[in-house]
Each structure stands twice: as structure tokens, then as C-alpha cells.
Amino acid sequence: MKQYLDLCQRLINKGTWIKNRRTGKRCLTAINTDFIYDIANNRFPLITTRKSYWKPAIAEILGYIRGYDSSADFRALGTKTWDANSNDNQDWLNSTFRKGQDDMGRIYGVQGRRWRRPDGSMLDQLRKLVDNLSKGTDDRCEIITFYNPGEFHMGCLRPCMHTHTFSLLNDSLYLTSYQRSCDVPLGLNFNQIQVFFLLKIIAQITDNKASTAFHKIVNVHIYEDQIKPMSDVQIKRIPFKAPSLYINPDIRTLDDLETWVTLDDFEVLGYRYHKEIKYPFAV
């Protein structure tokens, strides 16, 4: 929580004004920040200075794990995070690659589960990674990336959190996640939850111990219409103690995550929070 609030204060005090071309909005921007999450002690990084919603963040990761390319499938899992980008993004609506209502194109989970090789065959990055880690193997290339510049035009949005590197030291599993851009008031806590959850769930299904997650973000920003509620309200609140995340211990394999797992298999324990703050979202 302190890492989050320190970054917000840094942006307000020292951020540089930039006009974002995609959204047409100005934002206070800084370059490079690093977060560290203590997964071993289960200190779930859920923001307490406002009510934060963890279920859509976990649902989105489950959708990526399953390789979904339709916002309808994400809604069925429990998140509407892809509705706007798949159906309200004018550039994507004009694209010849869009297959119809709710189509997201070749982004995130599609790249993670069906990366297209030059010969047209598909590579399942996630399956390779899980198989290796389950055998105690770390070839120093236990990486899953969603960043495929050759297919950016075939999806509704370039990936923000684009690459995840897993490192195995004996039976302790670490994760380093790389993010190119982040809307701090809305997106950051969502992504913090996802980095924490990704390491915790991959460690569980590969029978390793989740240790520490490192989250590197390049471009961090607060849009101009988000600054007042952040500076006048959120950063003045006193944080509560971090909650913990419970994961159903019956989830043992990648196949489990692909088939029967739902949000009912996860629970946040001990979450105290301040009143909700509604921040504007930039499409």
C-alpha cells in the first residue's frame, strides 16, 4: 500500500504533463517504477484507501490462461474489462480483422496459448512453462509474452502488462512482470492483484513455493480528470492492514484452470477499506 501511495504522490508532485494521443486527454506522467510483492507471507496487495474490486482482475487472468479472445467469455467469467475495447474502440471497429461483436482479436491470452509461428503452426507458451516448472526445470527462458508487434493490428489493444518471467530457485518460484504503461488510479491496483495472483496460482499448479513477485512499469500516469479525487481524497486516507488471498487447494493443474475453476474458488480474507472513489476511465 505504501508503494502505491508513494507513486501517486510522486506523480502529483513531479509528474510531467503529456497529452495522450489515443485518448486525447492530458496526464501527469513519470517513467519507471518498481513494485515488490511478498507472496510467501500472503500479503495481498489490494488497495485499502478506497474500495477495490479483486474479482474482475482474477477473472481476467483466468481468461488469459484459457486463451479467450471474446469479451463475452470474459463476462461469463466475471469481468467486463474488455467490453469497451472490443466494442467501443473506433479504430478496432473499423478493422478488417475484427470478426464481430465482442471480438478482441489476437491479444493477450491468444498470444500466450496460440502464438503463431512463421510456418502457421501455433506455440502454447503457457503449457511449455507449466510443464517445465512442474518438473523442477528452469532453462532461464521460463517466459510468457503477449507482445507480438507483427500482430498488433490484429487486436483491439496492444498489451500493457506484456511479459512475465518465472525463475525457479530450488522449489521457490519468483516472478518478474513487465508493463509498458499504467493508469495509476484505475489500472495499477488491478495489475498488482494480477501479478500477485499469477505467481501464487502458477506456484500452486506446479507444486512450488511462491516467493516474491517483482512488477516493473515503464510509463505511469494519472489523467487530468483523475487528479482531484486522488490528491484531495485518496492519498490523505490512512491505509488498513493488507488482506490475504485464499485459493482452493483442489486446483492442482493447468487443466483445472482451463475447465472447472470459477471465482468461487478464491476468497479475500480480512479486507478493510475506505469508501469507494469513482475514477473516470479513458478508452
Side-chain angles (χ1 to χ4, degrees):
M1 188 68 228
K2 184 178 185 302
Q3 298 176 94
Y4 179 92
L5 293 176
D6 285 349
L7 174 60
C8 294
Q9 192 68 68
R10 172 189 165 197
L11 281 167
I12 291 169
N13 292 345
K14 299 180 179 180
T16 299
W17 281 109
I18 299 293
K19 184 169 183 179
N20 181 259
R21 181 178 177 182
R22 180 177 64 86
T23 63
K25 292 183 178 182
R26 292 196 315 153
C27 50
L28 282 174
T29 303
I31 301 301
N32 192 60
T33 193
D34 295 277
F35 285 80
I36 299 175
Y37 309 126
D38 182 6
I39 282 78
N41 290 315
N42 202 10
R43 291 175 57 82
F44 192 43
L46 188 59
I47 292 300
T48 63
T49 48
R50 65 172 171 83
K51 185 177 182 180
S52 191
Y53 297 89
W54 59 272
K55 287 186 177 182
I58 289 180
E60 190 173 81
I61 290 293
L62 287 176
Y64 294 165
I65 287 171
R66 295 176 181 182
Y68 286 164
D69 62 1
S70 170
S71 56
D73 290 329
F74 280 90
R75 286 197 301 275
L77 270 178
T79 179
K80 298 180 179 180
T81 52
W82 283 100
D83 287 4
N85 283 307
S86 62
N87 295 312
D88 298 333
N89 180 335
Q90 195 57 51
D91 287 342
W92 179 236
L93 294 178
N94 294 337
S95 173
T96 58
F97 292 98
R98 185 173 185 266
K99 293 181 290 187
Q101 183 75 14
D102 292 323
D103 180 46
M104 297 160 53
R106 290 190 56 78
I107 63 171
Y108 284 99
V110 175
Q111 301 293 350
R113 303 305 308 267
R114 300 187 298 281
W115 180 284
R116 185 154 39 207
R117 296 187 178 99
D119 65 3
S121 62
M122 299 295 175
L123 169 66
D124 189 339
Q125 299 183 69
L126 182 59
R127 177 66 70 177
K128 174 265 182 188
L129 183 148
V130 168
D131 286 349
N132 275 2
L133 295 178
S134 296
K135 292 181 280 190
T137 299
D138 180 354
D139 63 5
R140 300 179 185 173
C141 295
E142 303 306 340
I143 300 169
I144 180 169
T145 184
F146 307 132
Y147 202 83
N148 187 348
E151 294 191 344
F152 282 166
H153 62 295
M154 301 174 71
C156 65
L157 186 71
R158 289 174 295 173
C160 290
M161 193 156 60
H162 56 81
T163 301
H164 303 277
T165 300
F166 289 86
S167 303
L168 189 61
L169 299 181
N170 296 318
D171 62 349
S172 293
L173 190 63
Y174 297 79
L175 171 62
T176 305
S177 295
Y178 305 88
Q179 188 166 351
R180 64 170 178 84
S181 175
C182 187
D183 173 338
V184 172
L186 283 177
L188 179 52
N189 193 218
F190 200 86
N191 297 131
Q192 290 178 292
I193 292 166
Q194 292 181 324
V195 172
F196 184 100
F197 173 72
L198 186 60
L199 176 53
K200 197 169 176 66
I201 196 65
I202 294 298
Q204 181 163 311
I205 67 171
T206 60
D207 199 23
N208 290 293
K209 297 176 183 176
S211 182
T212 306
F214 305 93
H215 184 187
K216 174 174 281 294
I217 314 170
V218 178
N219 183 300
V220 288
H221 50 269
I222 298 179
Y223 286 100
E224 56 187 329
D225 54 5
Q226 300 171 330
I227 292 173
K228 188 173 178 59
M230 175 60 74
S231 62
D232 291 358
V233 182
Q234 187 167 355
I235 63 174
K236 294 181 178 180
R237 292 173 171 175
I238 298 174
F240 295 111
K241 182 181 178 181
S244 60
L245 176 67
Y246 168 83
I247 298 179
N248 183 348
D250 292 336
I251 303 172
R252 301 307 313 166
T253 67
L254 180 55
D255 290 337
D256 290 341
L257 292 173
E258 292 173 325
T259 53
W260 57 265
V261 172
T262 70
L263 290 180
D264 292 337
D265 293 294
F266 312 101
E267 185 179 359
V268 170
L269 306 174
Y271 183 37
R272 294 180 62 203
Y273 51 84
H274 290 270
K275 185 179 178 181
E276 182 180 17
I277 300 173
K278 292 188 178 297
Y279 284 104
F281 174 69
V283 178

